[in-house]
Amino acid sequence: MTETGTGAGTAAGHGTDWRAWQDSWDRQQQWYLPDREERFHIMLDMVEAVVGPEPRVLDLACGTGSITDRLLKRFPDATSVGVDLDPALLTIAEGTFAGDDRVTFVTADLKDPDWAAALPHDSYDAVLTATALHWLFSEPLATLYGQVAGLVRDGGVFMNADHMPDPATPRLNAAESALRHRRMDRAKAEGVLDWKEWWQLAAQDPALAGPTAKRFEIYGEHADGDMPSVEWHVRALREAGFSEARSVWASPSDAVVLGLK
C-alpha cells in the first residue's frame, strides 16, 4: 500500500482531458443512479450540519473522486484524502486534481487489515463513500465499519450511500426496478454509455489503457458482494462504535446511512 503520485506527468504526456473523463464517468454513473446528485447533496448537508464547512474528509473507495469534486466546490476550505485500489479510476482522479494541495490520493486495498496505515492522518471529521461498498460481503463490511469507526474523530460522521433494498417488499422492489430499467433503456437508445462500454472506451485511451488492464486483473468484470438492508447497516454501525446511526436519505432501492461518532 503506497501513496500515489500526482498523475500530472501522465496527463501532460498524452494531452489527456481529465475533466472530460471525470464528466464521462459521472454521466455513466448517473444512468444507473438517476438520483445520484440527491445523495451527494444530502451527504454534504450532513457534513456541514455535523462538522462544519472546513472538514478533513476521507473519500473512501473514491473512484475518480466524485465526492471530493463536489466537496471542494461546496466547501473550498475542505481537504480530502481519497483512497481506492482501482488504478484506472485513480489515474483519472489524480489527473483531475493535479496541483490541488487540498487533495491527496492513496492506493490501498480495503480488504487488507492494515489498509488504514497508508493514510496520511489518524483521524477525520468525515468519512464518505458512495456506491462502492456493495462490492463487499456483509462480514468484511462489518469489519470495515469497525475500522472506519477508529478513523472518525469524536463528534465526526461517517456516511455510506449505496444499494440497500428492503427484502420485506419484493413486489414493490420489482415494480420500481422495472420502471427504472425502462427509463434506462430509453436513455441507452439515445446513446448513453453503460459500464461495459465505458471501460472499453477507457481501454482505448493511451493514458488509461495500462491502468485499465491492471484494473481488470484486480477485479475482473465485477467483484462479488451482497446488499444488506438499511436496518443491517444501522445495526452494524452501532455495533462498530458509532453512538447514533440512521438513514438520512432513501429511494426505493438505495439509501444513505449515517453514523455519528
Side-chain angles (χ1 to χ4, degrees), residues 97-108:
F97 297 98
D100 191 333
D101 60 9
R102 299 171 297 176
V103 185
T104 303
F105 291 105
V106 172
T107 300

Side-chain angles (χ1 to χ4, degrees), residues 23-233:
D23 292 344
S24 175
W25 175 260
D26 279 342
R27 286 193 299 273
Q28 179 252 128
Q29 289 288 287
Q30 189 78 18
W31 180 63
Y32 291 98
L33 306 164
D35 46 23
R36 186 169 179 251
E37 293 302 326
E38 291 180 26
R39 68 194 73 193
F40 287 147
H41 186 80
I42 194 65
M43 291 174 84
L44 295 182
D45 277 352
M46 292 299 98
V47 167
E48 183 174 9
V50 176
V51 299
E54 300 179 17
R56 175 195 288 170
V57 171
L58 177 61
D59 187 349
L60 191 69
C62 64
T64 65
S66 296
I67 289 176
T68 293
D69 192 28
R70 288 152 180 79
L71 172 79
L72 297 180
K73 286 174 180 175
R74 177 158 169 178
F75 306 125
D77 294 324
T79 59
S80 179
V81 175
V83 59
D84 208 305
L85 185 62
D86 189 313
L89 299 185
L90 280 173
T91 296
I92 295 171
E94 291 177 310
T96 300
F97 297 98
D100 191 333
D101 60 9
R102 299 171 297 176
V103 185
T104 303
F105 291 105
V106 172
T107 300
D109 185 351
L110 297 183
K111 295 180 180 179
D112 185 330
D114 297 321
W115 69 269
L119 300 177
H121 309 293
D122 293 330
S123 69
Y124 296 83
D125 300 310
V127 178
L128 308 177
T129 187
T131 325
L133 301 189
H134 64 274
W135 286 45
L136 297 176
F137 284 105
S138 299
E139 185 174 344
L141 179 56
T143 298
L144 180 64
Y145 278 174
Q147 295 168 323
V148 168
L151 292 169
V152 178
R153 68 163 173 84
D154 289 344
V157 66
F158 166 70
M159 276 175 278
N160 178 16
D162 213 336
H163 309 310
M164 300 180 193
D166 188 341
T169 58
R171 289 189 300 158
L172 181 58
N173 297 347
E176 183 277 332
S177 178
L179 173 62
R180 179 160 34 90
H181 280 88
R182 287 197 297 272
R183 289 173 173 170
M184 290 172 68
D185 289 344
R186 288 197 295 269
K188 189 73 173 62
E190 295 171 0
V192 174
L193 293 177
D194 62 20
W195 171 268
K196 184 177 181 179
E197 291 167 335
W198 190 91
W199 282 109
Q200 289 172 341
L201 196 63
Q204 297 170 16
D205 188 300
L208 288 173
T212 296
K214 291 179 182 177
R215 182 245 179 243
F216 281 96
E217 290 177 8
I218 294 170
Y219 293 110
E221 288 299 321
H222 201 287
D224 292 327
D226 53 21
M227 292 179 282
S229 67
V230 169
E231 290 75 17
W232 182 93
H233 286 274

